[in-house]
């Protein structure tokens, strides 16, 4: 018969066609620490009345309940004899009896996985494998790199993703496999899409842009002609907020000129011009006098001071106030000897009122292989943890490709 409904809080599980569309009321949780929570023997049904002489003749055939038939929980067994069923109950044996009885039956292995311990072993395996690669001990590195996927499978969330990416990078080192970079149209569009999702889901870039814009806005106070040089404009996500703040400035917005610097596109499209059109439309909507120029440069060291000056003669009595903005761009120059010094000289030549620089406190370009690997692992673990914890960051973390630092591993 169906179980009676319980007065306590219950969870309803709706079944499908096979379940008949019914529901089940779950019983309240049982406190396992209570002394009353114990296994009780199931009472046997009384045997049917029979002839005493027949029972005495069949008494030796009754089931024995000792020896190897002891189990860790109460169970009932029955024997069929002469059309009559006899039942006996085996109650849980004490620990001593279980230990003595274990030799007679096969042992059942029980595997308990401690995710915290497996996570520590995973990090140690990654670092040990990186150290073996640095010492060119590829035999030990190969043995370690085979353990990383198994240890990573016991983790969840951000750690599992980061370990998978870095394990793949180590495997490429061990097996000397370096795929050629793919510069197809789909990859360029996909990279832009991922950057947009990352910007929406992660607070780091938004906070950097907000802080830089606030400093530029204060430097432009009272100026009628302003000029911003952006060393890495990308999709231009930083500047709508500054344009809107200038539009709301008491006394009216100034004349705003923006010079955006970006790398050449693999598909040879003028991506910088498209960014300029979008910003120009937005500036026209909020009634800001806006001018834009895009500069394509493979590296910032290719820039010259005259490229950042106005196209025509400056006939206005009020000079143009310049701000130079660099977000995650200057660290790329460290791998080029003399490039950073040349860029800083170009910046001094244009005489800006303010220079805003945003960089990450990470050392991915210098030091030994093990030092760079450890720094990158720590950096991207923190980054993916923040994406995993954000409300909308899960989709971005799932869709994100291998971190940029792993292709340098």
């Amino acid at each position: 018969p169906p179980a009676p409904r319980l007065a306590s809080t219950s969870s309803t599980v709706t079944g499908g066609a096979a379940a008949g569309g019914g529901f089940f009321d779950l019983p309240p949780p049982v406190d396992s620490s209570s002394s009353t929570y114990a296994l009780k023997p199931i009472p046997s049904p009384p045997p049917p009345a029979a002839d005493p002489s027949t029972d005495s003749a069949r008494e030796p055939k009754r089931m024995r309940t000792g020896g190897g038939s002891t189990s860790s929980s109460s169970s009932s067994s029955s024997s069929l004899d002469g059309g009559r069923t006899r039942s006996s109950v085996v109650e849980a044996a004490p620990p001593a009896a279980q230990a003595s009885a274990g030799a007679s039956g096969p042992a059942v292995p029980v595997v308990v996985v401690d995710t915290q311990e497996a996570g520590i072993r995973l990090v140690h395996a990654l670092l040990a494998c990186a150290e073996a690669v640095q010492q060119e001990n590829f035999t030990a590195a190969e043995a370690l790199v085979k353990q990383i996927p198994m240890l990573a499978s016991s983790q969840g969330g951000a750690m599992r993703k980061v370990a998978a990416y870095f394990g793949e990078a180590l495997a490429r080192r061990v097996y000397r496999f370096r795929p050629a970079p793919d510069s197809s149209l789909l990859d360029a569009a996909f990279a832009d899409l991922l950057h947009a999702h990352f910007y929406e889901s992660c607070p780091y870039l938004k906070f950097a842009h907000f802080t830089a814009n606030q400093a530029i806005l204060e430097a432009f106070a009272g100026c009628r002609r302003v000029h911003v040089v952006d060393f890495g404009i990308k999709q231009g996500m930083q500047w709508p907020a500054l344009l809107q703040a200038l539009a709301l400035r008491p006394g009216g917005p100034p004349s705003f000129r923006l010079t955006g610097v970006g790398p050449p596109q693999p598909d040879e499209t003028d991506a910088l011009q498209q960014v300029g059109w979008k910003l120009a439309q937005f500036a026209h909507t909020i009634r800001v006098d806006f001018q834009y120029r895009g500069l394509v440069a493979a590296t910032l060291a290719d820039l010259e001071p005259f490229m950042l000056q106005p196209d025509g003669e400056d006939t206005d009595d009020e000079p143009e106030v310049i701000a130079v903005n660099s977000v995650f761009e200057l660290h790329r120059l460290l791998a080029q000897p003399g490039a950073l010094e040349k860029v800083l000289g170009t910046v001094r030549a244009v005489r800006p009122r303010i220079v805003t620089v945003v960089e990450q406190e990470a050392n991915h370009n210098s030091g030994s292989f093990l030092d760079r690997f450890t720094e990158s692992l720590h950096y991207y673990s923190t980054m993916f943890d923040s994406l995993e914890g954000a409300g909308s960051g899960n989709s971005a973390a799932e869709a994100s490709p291998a971190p940029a630092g792993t292709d340098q591993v």
Side-chain angles (χ1 to χ4, degrees), residues 21 30 35 43 93 96 99 105 111 113 129 157 206 225 229 287 326 332 339 341 358 389 392 405:
V30 181
S35 59
V111 179
V113 178
C129 185
K206 289 183 178 180
R225 298 176 63 246
V229 179
R287 301 179 182 274
S326 175
R332 306 176 189 273
E341 289 76 9
V358 177
S392 60

Side-chain angles (χ1 to χ4, degrees), residues 339-362:
L340 182 59
E341 289 76 9
K342 185 178 185 302
V343 172
L344 295 179
T346 302
V347 171
R348 295 189 188 97
V350 299
R351 302 176 64 86
R353 174 172 292 189
I354 185 173
V355 178
T356 53
V357 178
V358 177
E359 284 296 338
Q360 55 191 0
E361 189 178 356

